[in-house]
Amino acid sequence: MPVDRYPRAPLRSAITAWRQARIVGEGFDTRRTGLAYHLAVNRLHWYISLLRTGPHPRPEIQDELTAACHALTVLSRESMPAAAASGAHRHAVIHARIALAAGDLADPAHGVPQQVARALEGPALDRFDPYGIGTVTPAERIAGAAEVRMVMARLIVGHPPAVGVRGRRWLVTEESGTGISAAYRDRRDFRRAVLPSCAGLDAAGEAMRLGAESVGLHAALARRTAGHYVEYDNARKELGRLSGRLGVSAPVVE
């Protein structure tokens, strides 16, 4: 690991903003905390958009991009309570959509439970966060993708349709254009992110699909990762509660 843990200026700026948001969050000013986290999310999100649309061949920056996407998933989930507490529910939903996209892009199993066993054999990646040391394992990235699916499902059920912003929905994809205009478009797209598996579904359908996918990923991890059964059991119970609130049968997850 180099002496400068965050050698790229945009990444360093994002990590600094994240650290500052945590410091502000130790106080009692909910509005300042919400704004600080919103700034941190925007900066890390912009860094990812620059990587996705920049001049470097994707294979050269793929590990860095994947690590940054996982970090954005963590940061966005951390920012959502701060946004909600400050009264900015719309930003909480936007951050959830961003986390949904970033988590899916960071997930080595690509949301498919049958691919979890093979994905767990993959390499660990750098951990990008204010005080992080060590690395991020494939299991942690898969769990992050599972958790944010349930977070989004919960938001949709509580505040339908929880789209985030107006405009067309964007199906999450690794493909992107190139250049600065593509970077701005990429950043807008993340705020309207929908997983390809949820294409064409209404709000209730998306919530149930996301919940079922979350349970499926947790179940696959529980079968192969020591100590993950609690997360699986919690996800299964949460899916039952959400389906009850919608008045529909809970999806059957193998």
Side-chain angles (χ1 to χ4, degrees):
M1 182 67 65
V3 174
D4 184 354
R5 183 169 174 79
Y6 306 113
R8 296 178 186 264
L11 176 58
R12 188 162 55 246
S13 175
I15 296 300
T16 299
W18 190 351
R19 183 181 300 115
Q20 183 62 31
R22 285 184 174 177
I23 293 172
V24 173
E26 294 175 356
F28 300 97
D29 191 328
T30 56
R31 184 174 182 276
R32 281 190 62 207
T33 301
L35 289 173
Y37 268 107
H38 188 60
L39 174 63
V41 170
N42 280 344
R43 287 189 178 176
L44 186 54
H45 189 188
W46 180 238
Y47 171 65
I48 287 170
S49 292
L50 291 177
L51 283 180
R52 279 170 53 86
T53 62
H56 300 289
R58 185 60 64 86
E60 290 183 7
I61 52 92
Q62 185 60 62
D63 285 353
E64 184 176 354
L65 175 58
T66 302
C69 281
H70 175 74
L72 182 58
T73 305
V74 175
L75 170 57
S76 297
R77 289 188 59 215
E78 195 174 306
S79 74
M80 287 166 55
S86 69
H89 173 71
R90 176 172 173 273
H91 283 126
V93 175
I94 287 173
H95 291 183
R97 288 286 173 189
I98 290 171
L100 186 67
D104 191 61
L105 292 171
D107 174 13
H110 308 291
V112 181
Q114 292 79 7
Q115 295 184 18
V116 166
R118 170 178 258 179
L120 290 175
E121 300 173 359
L125 300 177
D126 284 340
R127 182 182 300 277
F128 296 154
D129 73 25
Y131 310 111
I133 57 175
T135 54
V136 178
T137 64
E140 188 175 350
R141 288 153 52 205
I142 295 168
E147 289 162 6
V148 78
R149 278 168 165 80
M150 192 62 78
V151 168
M152 191 74 249
R154 192 181 305 124
L155 271 177
I156 293 172
V157 172
H159 304 274
V163 172
V165 296
R166 295 177 181 175
R168 66 179 179 82
R169 305 181 112 196
W170 175 67
L171 297 183
V172 178
T173 176
E174 293 184 359
E175 297 179 1
S176 61
T178 57
I180 194 67
S181 61
Y184 279 107
R185 184 173 60 250
D186 195 67
R187 188 167 64 167
R188 289 195 303 269
D189 285 343
F190 268 57
R191 300 176 179 184
R192 295 187 282 259
V194 175
L195 298 185
S197 59
C198 299
L201 298 178
D202 62 9
E206 183 184 14
M208 287 296 94
R209 179 67 59 81
L210 290 173
E213 290 181 0
S214 176
V215 173
L217 288 172
H218 280 301
L221 282 172
R223 286 192 289 267
R224 297 169 177 85
T225 305
H228 200 82
Y229 181 82
V230 172
E231 287 80 358
Y232 160 65
D233 193 48
N234 288 340
R236 183 179 57 81
K237 291 176 181 176
E238 180 71 2
L239 179 59
R241 285 191 291 267
L242 294 180
S243 63
R245 291 177 64 183
L246 290 174
V248 298
S249 298
V252 176
V253 182
E254 298 296 335

